[in-house]
Amino acid sequence: AHPALSLALLCRGGAELLFDGVKKHQVTLPGQEEPWDIRNLLVWIKKNLLKERPELFIRGDSVRPGILVLINDADWELLGELDYQLQDQDSILFISTLHGG
């Protein structure tokens, strides 16, 4: 089994508006059998943090186009995207590049 993880989830560029305007969330993911990866994290975020209009953040099992994801300041594309296995104290930054309504 895998232990609980403590993460910082950061939102910028308007993404924070989907999280009640909060730009930084310190979250603890519960321990589970499988390792936590970004795919599981997005499901958790949808269930626990996204108050409204989750479709503006998540599409299918990933983030919607136009949202950049940085893991510890590195582009998630370099780290395996959805398959990146989260480590304790990771910092995940979501930046919305979509503007206007």
Side-chain angles (χ1 to χ4, degrees):
H2 294 266
L5 297 179
S6 178
L7 304 176
L9 303 180
L10 308 164
C11 303
R12 299 282 184 273
E16 68 276 3
L17 300 177
L18 303 175
F19 296 89
D20 289 343
V22 179
K23 290 191 173 187
K24 180 170 184 178
H25 299 265
Q26 279 295 146
V27 304
T28 301
L29 301 177
Q32 61 175 22
E33 285 303 307
E34 300 296 314
W36 279 97
D37 58 21
I38 296 285
R39 186 180 280 106
N40 298 343
L41 175 66
L42 291 174
V43 172
W44 187 92
I45 287 174
K46 189 173 178 179
K47 202 176 294 177
N48 295 281
L49 287 180
L50 280 174
K51 303 296 189 219
E52 51 192 85
R53 299 177 75 184
E55 71 278 1
L56 294 180
F57 186 74
I58 290 176
R59 178 171 298 169
D61 65 353
S62 188
V63 291
R64 67 175 279 179
I67 293 181
L68 305 177
V69 182
L70 297 181
I71 301 168
N72 303 322
D73 298 322
D75 188 325
W76 75 327
E77 290 180 1
L78 304 175
L79 298 169
E81 298 191 5
L82 292 170
D83 295 323
Y84 171 78
Q85 287 195 5
L86 294 162
Q87 310 294 319
D88 196 47
Q89 306 303 321
D90 272 353
S91 171
I92 316 295
L93 173 58
F94 299 99
I95 307 171
S96 176
T97 60
L98 307 170
H99 297 288

